[in-house]
């Protein structure tokens, strides 16, 4: 510890006394140096307050989940979602509403079932992982070997694994920030190929989810190049408990897996874009993103109907202001987040010449839980703007290393500044990627709070005299 | 209002003062006149306390749900449950362990699916009601008409209903005492025939359940004699929301229902019985009942694996006492509660000559929620015994008009006294009759609390010098 010299100590004490006695003056002095001008802050605060009183966001997500419902990449329902997006943005007064080409995988689930055959016969609830190959029609019947983690599988003798179904029994932890997901999900992406290398014939995983409902969680897997592809499915948590208990009995366990999953040819479809044009610098863009596709099991209310509704409604409310902000607010409803973000990649390719004029990107893809933190990746000199926004929203300020989200992650090489609003994800992973992702899981007031926050942030960045600079290199951090 | 005369008022005041000043003495005076003797109360309290410290009940329900799993009436799995029951009671030291013949229906679900075809195509999650007939293989495709209650359907013009699928949209309320079930469930039992009378081709109901999971709630229906039988299924609550929203759009709604359900010939199977024989009056019976069958969708953990475990473990602990009680504790694991209580009826028929010597019956069939009340149907002169038990268990005392439960209800014509322990049912109907009825829904400490209560009650009644008299006529009340 270094002791402060007397003069410094005196100065520190004076400052503390000044802040204690004249807090407003002290804050104003700080803010005046670098943060939002008063008129910008006032309008942003007013957008925020008015949205908290009630918005159309719930109506928007209700319309999408009811009239379109499940809309996986490549499906005809996804095309209906594109029509819905174009129609909705036009009806809500957006300008320059259009579709932007995206080529997406087309994977279909087909019929699927699973059964523990021995020692105690029990049918189970499972869902093929997205992108999994199917089994032969008669299914795969094989002994089961349990491993407690992805790394443990590598330690096994191939002779132990050969011809077996590998069951990864990794439990996801419930956390407000959803960080349990990051720790549990690698097994879903990589588990199949890691087991296939050792001769496994199929993979089962415990659902990456925090609930105890008999609703399995799907999600994408990635087959490793050059490794034999084997079928993979997630058991619901109660079914994973059952399989683990059968294994714990010490008797040999046999399982029959039938997956009708298969990949069809790629499909050319589209992301949907609409704008609130800026009044002075329309060529400078504040991008608000969410993804229009969903998994096939639920109606995609929290993933990502909520984000679609939040971003549309936040932008719409900015468009209703008597004086629109200087810069353009662009809402991008991305095609295909779930199967490799090809919509986001297509956007980057199509807009590469204007990415330098994207002054901010934000993404809403974490359900409808309330915003509790603002994180960023902006020029560090501009962090006082983020601090000012945190104060305005009444939330914590997070780190400056945010990726922002899966879709806007593609903008990182162009150093597009990121604002990320962290949502309360305590219950998000109870429903995420399951049939249970339905409208009833959304509280309209929570949606309103998200709309309020994004409207204030997007307006402030679109209106402020300066900008957020350019984002530093991604350090691998997460918001 | 009648005013008390002065002497009566004086007497009342004196009593209040006496109770206030000398509560122990006053209670002793009251108890001495009619309630349990000290030694009985002491042993009952000790059974209670020791069970709270931990029991084998969770191991028992784990064994049943894991080794047998779903065990609907008439299935081969139910026969395995009978074997499990006989083996388990023997292993746990019961006497006179045997199977008692019961003839049961054998209904099988088969494959089932449903889809809203118009105005917005959406697949839904549904489950045939138990006993429903199936649809033709190609399904039934028909317009949908919504009715808000069972009674409303009778008011409809048959011309409005003819050829349609009737959708009963009745919401069940969450209540600690489960009373929302009684109000909502008639639609499940009677809805099909009431709609068929008006020319409906099928019936859909909103699940009788308090959750918002995509796990539909099955349960028995009763076709009315002489009315055309039509297929009937329950939609999960989120799916009922979806169908209601499609109807609320004002556009015509069409639905396709496919049910593979069918009735097979009746099966001769068995209830399972075991005893802790009484030391002085073995011919007098304290009956502890639960049902061994379950629905086909879940593993029957809360319905009624929990009850089976609670009653077996309560009796087992009484059997371990250094001195067994005067009377016999008889555990009856009934066949077929879910399809019309034919196991209970067979028991009454087989034991008709000894029903007069059944000094008490109790049933545990409400999951694993904690006991919070003791209700009864005993000779009103014996209510101080119930009051004494309430005090011993630390629970409220309910009314004296309890039916006791579905299976022991069959004992009512023989005036068998009933003790009913009301359990906290706040979450019971989230899982009841769904695939989600699995072991993880049970907290072992809750089971122990139930075991503690039943062990104390059964012991006290089996040991007390007198008995509970004979039960008054059933007045239609519920505990």
């Amino acid at each position: 510890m270094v002791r402060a010299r007397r003069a410094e100590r005196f100065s520190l004490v004076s400052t503390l006394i000044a802040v204690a006695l004249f807090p407003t003056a002290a804050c104003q002095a700080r803010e005046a140096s670098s943060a939002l001008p008063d008129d910008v802050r006032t309008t942003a605060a007013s957008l925020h307050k008015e949205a908290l009183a009630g918005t159309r966001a719930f109506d928007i997500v209700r319309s999408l989940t009811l009239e379109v419902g499940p809309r996986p990449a490549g499906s005809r329902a996804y095309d209906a979602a594109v029509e819905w997006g174009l129609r909705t943005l036009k009806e809500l007064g957006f300008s320059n509403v259009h579709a932007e080409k995206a080529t997406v995988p087309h994977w279909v689930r087909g019929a699927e079932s699973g059964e523990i055959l021995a020692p105690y016969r029990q049918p189970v609830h499972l869902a093929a992982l997205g992108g999994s190959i199917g089994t032969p029609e008669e299914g795969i019947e094989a002994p089961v070997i349990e491993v407690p983690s992805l790394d443990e599988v590598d330690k096994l003798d191939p002779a132990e694994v050969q011809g077996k179904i590998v069951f990864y029994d990794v439990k996801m932890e419930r956390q407000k920030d959803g960080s349990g997901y990051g720790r549990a999900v690698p097994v879903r992406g990589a588990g199949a190929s890691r087991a296939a290398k050792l001769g496994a014939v199929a993979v089962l995983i415990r659902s990456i989810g925090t609930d105890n409902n008999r609703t399995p969680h799907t999600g994408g897997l990635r087959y490793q190049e050059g490794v034999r592809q084997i079928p993979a499915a997630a058991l619901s948590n109660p079914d994973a408990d059952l399989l683990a208990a059968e294994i714990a009995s010490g008797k040999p366990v046999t399982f029959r897996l039938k997956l009708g999953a298969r990949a069809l040819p790629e499909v050319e479809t589209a992301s949907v874009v609409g704008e609130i044009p800026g009044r002075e610098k329309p060529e400078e863009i504040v991008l608000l993103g969410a993804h229009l596709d969903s998994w096939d099991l639920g109606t995609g209310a929290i993933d990502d109907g909520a984000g679609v509704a939040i971003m549309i409604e936040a932008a719409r409310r900015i468009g209703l202001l008597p004086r629109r902000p200087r810069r353009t607010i662009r809402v991008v409803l991305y095609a295909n987040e779930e199967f490799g973000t090809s919509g986001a990649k297509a956007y980057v390719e199509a807009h590469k010449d204007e990415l330098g004029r994207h002054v901010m990107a934000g993404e809403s893809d974490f359900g409808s839980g309330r915003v509790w933190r603002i994180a960023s990746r902006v020029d560090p000199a501009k962090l006082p703007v983020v601090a000012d926004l945190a104060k305005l929203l009444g939330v914590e300020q997070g780190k400056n290393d945010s990726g922002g989200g899966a879709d806007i992650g593609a903008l990182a090489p162009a150093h597009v500044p990121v604002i990320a609003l962290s949502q309360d994800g305590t219950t998000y992973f109870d429903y995420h990627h399951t049939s249970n992702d339905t409208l009833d899981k959304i509280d309209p007031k929570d949606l309103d709070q998200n709309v309020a926050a994004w409207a204030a942030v997007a307006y402030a960045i679109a209106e402020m005299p300066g900008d957020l600079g350019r984002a530093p290199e991604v350090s691998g951090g997460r918001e």
Side-chain angles (χ1 to χ4, degrees), chain A:
Chain A
M1 191 194 301
V2 178
R3 294 188 63 162
R5 281 175 298 170
R6 174 177 278 263
E8 278 172 2
R9 271 185 284 160
F10 178 77
S11 163
L12 179 65
V13 169
S14 310
T15 306
L16 288 173
I17 290 170
V19 171
L21 294 177
F22 315 106
T24 311
C27 291
Q28 280 173 350
R30 180 178 61 77
E31 285 165 8
S33 68
S34 51
L36 299 169
D38 281 350
D39 62 327
V40 177
R41 197 187 301 109
T42 304
T43 304
S46 147
L47 275 166
H48 186 254
K49 185 180 169 189
E50 283 162 22
L52 290 177
T55 78
R56 289 197 192 173
F58 190 75
D59 291 340
I60 296 170
V61 64
R62 176 163 54 197
S63 162
L64 176 58
T65 55
L66 173 65
E67 296 168 28
V68 181
R71 47 195 180 279
S75 67
R76 282 162 62 175
Y78 182 76
D79 289 338
V82 170
E83 291 307 313
W84 175 91
L86 295 171
R87 186 173 73 241
T88 300
L89 290 177
K90 283 174 193 162
E91 282 172 8
L92 294 178
F94 282 75
S95 299
N96 191 22
V97 174
H98 64 282
E100 296 201 359
K101 201 173 83 175
T103 305
V104 304
H106 188 196
W107 175 84
V108 291
R109 179 173 301 282
E112 55 192 14
S113 66
E115 192 174 12
I116 304 169
L117 300 174
Y120 310 114
R121 196 168 192 127
Q122 298 253 16
V124 298
H125 294 243
L126 54 74
L129 298 183
S132 174
I133 64 166
T135 64
E137 206 172 337
E138 69 278 14
I140 289 174
E141 198 176 308
V144 178
I145 180 169
E146 185 182 26
V147 289
S149 74
L150 192 53
D151 290 338
E152 288 299 318
V153 81
D154 299 335
K155 299 179 188 160
L156 292 175
D157 182 343
E160 287 180 82
V161 180
Q162 186 67 39
K164 291 190 181 151
I165 295 173
V166 167
F167 168 45
Y168 291 100
D169 192 6
V170 180
K171 281 189 182 146
M172 179 183 164
E173 280 172 46
R174 187 184 297 279
Q175 305 280 0
K176 181 178 174 185
D177 67 358
S179 55
Y181 187 65
R183 286 190 289 276
V185 80
V187 85
R188 193 188 75 206
S193 291
R194 297 274 278 270
K197 283 181 193 170
L198 300 172
V201 293
V203 155
L204 296 171
I205 68 168
R206 175 183 285 273
S207 276
I208 310 298
T210 47
D211 58 298
N212 66 347
N213 291 318
R214 235 152 165 199
T215 49
H217 296 241
T218 189
L221 62 66
R222 293 180 308 280
Y223 287 124
Q224 197 179 317
E225 203 72 38
V227 176
R228 192 169 46 90
Q229 299 190 349
I230 58 174
L235 298 173
S236 83
N237 273 313
D239 290 289
D241 292 347
L242 205 51
L243 182 55
E246 298 231 7
I247 291 166
S249 76
K251 296 172 183 162
V253 174
T254 319
F255 194 94
R256 182 164 53 215
L257 177 67
K258 290 188 187 179
L259 301 184
R262 66 192 195 284
L264 301 178
E266 285 190 335
V267 171
E268 189 162 301
T269 179
S271 298
V272 172
V273 176
E275 294 181 344
I276 307 297
R279 73 171 193 281
E280 278 184 22
K281 299 178 172 179
E283 73 286 1
E284 293 192 4
I285 307 296
V286 170
L287 187 155
L288 299 184
H291 68 86
L292 193 51
D293 63 308
S294 77
W295 281 99
D296 56 331
L297 298 172
T299 62
I302 63 167
D303 188 14
D304 182 25
V308 165
I310 289 164
M311 292 314 210
I312 290 176
E313 177 65 359
R316 184 187 76 86
R317 297 176 78 88
I318 295 171
L320 293 179
L321 289 173
R323 198 173 69 148
R324 290 181 168 192
R326 289 189 173 87
R327 302 181 183 84
T328 293
I329 311 284
R330 179 180 291 170
V331 171
V332 183
L333 308 180
Y334 288 102
N336 182 38
E337 189 271 343
E338 302 291 5
F339 274 94
T341 66
S342 61
K345 288 166 190 160
Y347 179 90
V348 168
E349 180 59 24
H351 295 266
K352 57 188 170 194
D353 294 338
E354 63 167 359
L355 295 184
R357 296 192 304 272
H358 279 53
V359 300
M360 186 204 110
E363 178 173 333
S364 179
D365 183 16
F366 203 60
S368 59
R370 296 200 165 213
V371 174
W372 61 277
R373 184 173 61 184
I374 182 170
S376 57
R377 201 174 72 255
V378 301
D379 179 345
K382 304 296 181 139
L383 281 171
V385 174
V386 182
D388 213 12
L389 289 169
K391 198 172 138 196
L392 192 153
L393 305 182
V395 301
E396 294 175 26
Q397 183 173 1
K399 294 187 183 170
N400 195 42
D401 65 353
S402 177
D407 282 316
I408 66 168
L411 301 169
H415 299 278
V416 175
V418 165
I419 295 289
L421 299 183
S422 310
Q423 294 175 257
D424 187 329
T426 307
T427 63
Y428 183 63
F429 293 102
D430 289 347
Y431 309 117
H432 177 251
H433 293 191
T434 73
S435 62
N436 227 348
D437 177 2
T438 48
L439 187 65
D440 48 281
K441 308 309 182 299
I442 296 180
D443 181 334
K445 296 308 293 172
D446 290 347
L447 275 191
D448 293 343
Q449 192 258 9
N450 277 271
V451 169
W454 278 113
V457 165
Y459 170 79
I461 306 305
E463 179 64 16
M464 64 187 274
D467 60 26
L468 296 172
R470 300 310 291 171
E473 290 293 331
V474 180
S475 64
R478 292 171 52 89
E479 71 274 20

